[in-house]
Amino acid sequence: MIKFFLMVNKQGQTRLSKYYEHVDINKRTLLETEVIKSCLSRSNEQCSFIEYKDFKLIYRQYAALFIVVGVNDTENEMAIYEFIHNFVEVLDEYFSRVSELDVSFFNTVFHGTWQMHSGPYQSRSCSVTQAGVQRCDHGSLHPGSPGLK
């Protein structure tokens, strides 16, 4: 099950965050700082899956943005890794070349829309693999380069 979703820039600033379990605001700040530090300190040659406390971090870097998803230890890492890429492709299609400013705008829409449909926390708990991640033909896209500016 997904615990949280973060989009951060290379400077470590959170651009978008969504939590699916209640986490106190002070603990969120500390959690985000530690998670971001863990991901930003890794080299490109290292694995994008990190064991962290009682959950796993799966992240991908797209230009100056990192997308980090925290999941429980039973979640399929490759399904989440693919989910991140599909999410970026949707953003790229919607914004016609995603930039960090687009993410800031999207943050408002993202939270407003999800708030209306699922309340402050996710009402259903299912994993990405249970929800059925659909594979799509990426055509000429290469992993890690879906068109972020």
Side-chain angles (χ1 to χ4, degrees), residues 8-10 60-66 88 97-100 144-149:
V8 298
N9 64 15
K10 281 187 175 181
R60 287 186 89 154
Q61 180 180 358
Y62 293 92
L65 290 174
F66 284 81
V88 170
R97 293 205 41 87
V98 179
S99 70
E100 196 172 329
S145 61
L148 287 174
K149 294 180 199 172

Side-chain angles (χ1 to χ4, degrees), residues 6-7 19 28 31 44 51 74 96 101-102 112 146:
L6 302 173
M7 290 182 81
Y19 289 83
R28 282 185 187 190
L31 174 70
N44 289 341
E51 295 287 332
T74 61
S96 300
L101 288 173
D102 294 327

Side-chain angles (χ1 to χ4, degrees), residues 25-106:
I25 193 72
N26 296 330
K27 291 183 180 180
R28 282 185 187 190
T29 305
L30 180 61
L31 174 70
E32 288 178 21
T33 302
E34 291 175 358
V35 164
I36 292 165
K37 187 176 180 182
S38 297
C39 294
L40 292 178
S41 65
R42 297 174 67 86
S43 71
N44 289 341
E45 290 81 33
Q46 290 181 293
C47 181
S48 294
F49 310 147
I50 303 171
E51 295 287 332
Y52 181 80
K53 295 188 178 181
D54 62 338
F55 52 90
K56 295 185 258 187
L57 302 174
I58 294 97
Y59 72 94
R60 287 186 89 154
Q61 180 180 358
Y62 293 92
L65 290 174
F66 284 81
I67 299 176
V68 184
V69 179
V71 298
N72 64 5
D73 59 350
T74 61
E75 190 64 67
N76 181 329
E77 294 98 337
M78 290 305 293
I80 298 295
Y81 195 71
E82 183 68 16
F83 163 75
I84 293 170
H85 186 71
N86 288 337
F87 178 76
V88 170
E89 284 188 335
V90 168
L91 288 179
D92 197 41
E93 184 70 26
Y94 182 79
F95 289 109
S96 300
R97 293 205 41 87
V98 179
S99 70
E100 196 172 329
L101 288 173
D102 294 327
V103 171
S104 296
F105 166 75
F106 182 71

Side-chain angles (χ1 to χ4, degrees), residues 83-147:
F83 163 75
I84 293 170
H85 186 71
N86 288 337
F87 178 76
V88 170
E89 284 188 335
V90 168
L91 288 179
D92 197 41
E93 184 70 26
Y94 182 79
F95 289 109
S96 300
R97 293 205 41 87
V98 179
S99 70
E100 196 172 329
L101 288 173
D102 294 327
V103 171
S104 296
F105 166 75
F106 182 71
N107 188 14
T108 306
V109 175
F110 182 76
H111 281 290
T113 303
W114 281 27
Q115 208 64 10
M116 287 188 313
H117 295 295
S118 63
Y121 305 104
Q122 185 178 17
S123 57
R124 295 179 307 242
S125 68
C126 67
S127 69
V128 171
T129 52
Q130 290 170 332
V133 173
Q134 293 183 354
R135 299 225 176 247
C136 62
D137 181 13
H138 299 298
S140 63
L141 292 177
H142 300 286
S145 61

Side-chain angles (χ1 to χ4, degrees), residues 3-4 6 17-21 23 28 31-32 120-121:
K3 294 180 178 251
F4 59 85
L6 302 173
S17 65
K18 179 71 178 168
Y19 289 83
Y20 298 96
E21 295 177 347
V23 179
R28 282 185 187 190
L31 174 70
E32 288 178 21
Y121 305 104

